[in-house]
Each structure stands twice: as C-alpha cells, then as structure tokens.
C-alpha cells in the first residue's frame, strides 16, 4: 500500500464520521469531534510523512470546517526546518 492510499483511507474514515452525524442525537458532534478527529490525526502523525499529515489536517478543515489546530489561520503549524531557521 502506498502512502497516498493510506492517506485516502484516513480521509475516508474522517468522511465516514461526518456522514454518520446526521443519524446521531443533537450535540453528538460537539461531544465527539475533538476526540474522534484527534485520534485519527494522532494515528496519521505516526504513519504518514509530515507533509502528508499536514495535508490531512488541511483536508479536515477544507471539507468539514473543523480546525484541528494550525489550519485555516495565520498561526499555522511550522516545520522543523522553519523552526531551526528562526
């Protein structure tokens, strides 16, 4: 399995979570979103190359409007190379 295929499966899992929200009780998203998406992203951080991980975080924000941190604002996540230069 390629890295791109793995990333697509993470995206599919995220999409599946958001698709099932319409069947859940009111407030379910607010109660579970941070833990569920955070768990998926934690797994992705250990499996995907860093740039792919950042792409996945951006995907969550662009497709579903949830900012898992460092996305969609000026305060973005920086790479280690950028940090070493500063």
């Amino acid at each position: 399995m390629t890295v791109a295929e793995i990333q697509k499966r993470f995206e599919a899992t995220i999409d599946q979570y958001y698709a099932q929200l319409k069947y859940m009780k009111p407030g379910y998203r607010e109660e579970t979103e941070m833990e569920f998406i955070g768990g998926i992203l934690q797994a992705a951080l250990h499996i995907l190359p860093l740039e792919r991980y950042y792409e996945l975080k951006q995907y969550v924000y662009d497709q579903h409007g949830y900012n898992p941190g460092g996305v969609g604002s000026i305060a973005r996540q920086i790479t280690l190379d950028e940090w070493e230069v500063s």
Side-chain angles (χ1 to χ4, degrees):
M1 185 178 290
T2 67
V3 171
E5 290 171 328
I6 294 168
Q7 182 177 351
K8 287 293 181 195
R9 291 193 181 197
F10 278 122
E11 290 172 2
T13 302
I14 290 166
D15 292 341
Q16 183 180 29
Y17 166 78
Y18 284 103
Q20 56 93 33
L21 288 177
K22 61 186 169 191
Y23 302 108
M24 298 300 166
K25 66 180 174 144
Y28 180 81
R29 179 177 181 161
E30 292 77 13
E31 294 172 7
T32 62
E33 187 171 41
M34 185 175 71
E35 289 85 7
F36 188 88
I37 300 303
I40 296 298
L41 291 174
Q42 184 70 26
L45 179 60
H46 293 289
I47 295 170
L48 296 175
L50 202 53
E51 286 304 313
R52 292 288 190 143
Y53 166 74
Y54 292 145
E55 288 174 14
L56 186 62
K57 284 176 55 173
Q58 187 67 47
Y59 175 83
V60 172
Y61 181 74
D62 292 344
Q63 295 297 311
H64 302 290
Y66 178 68
N67 186 346
V71 179
S73 69
I74 295 172
R76 68 174 182 82
Q77 191 102 26
I78 66 171
T79 67
L80 288 175
D81 292 333
E82 292 170 325
W83 180 73
E84 287 177 348
V85 171
S86 59

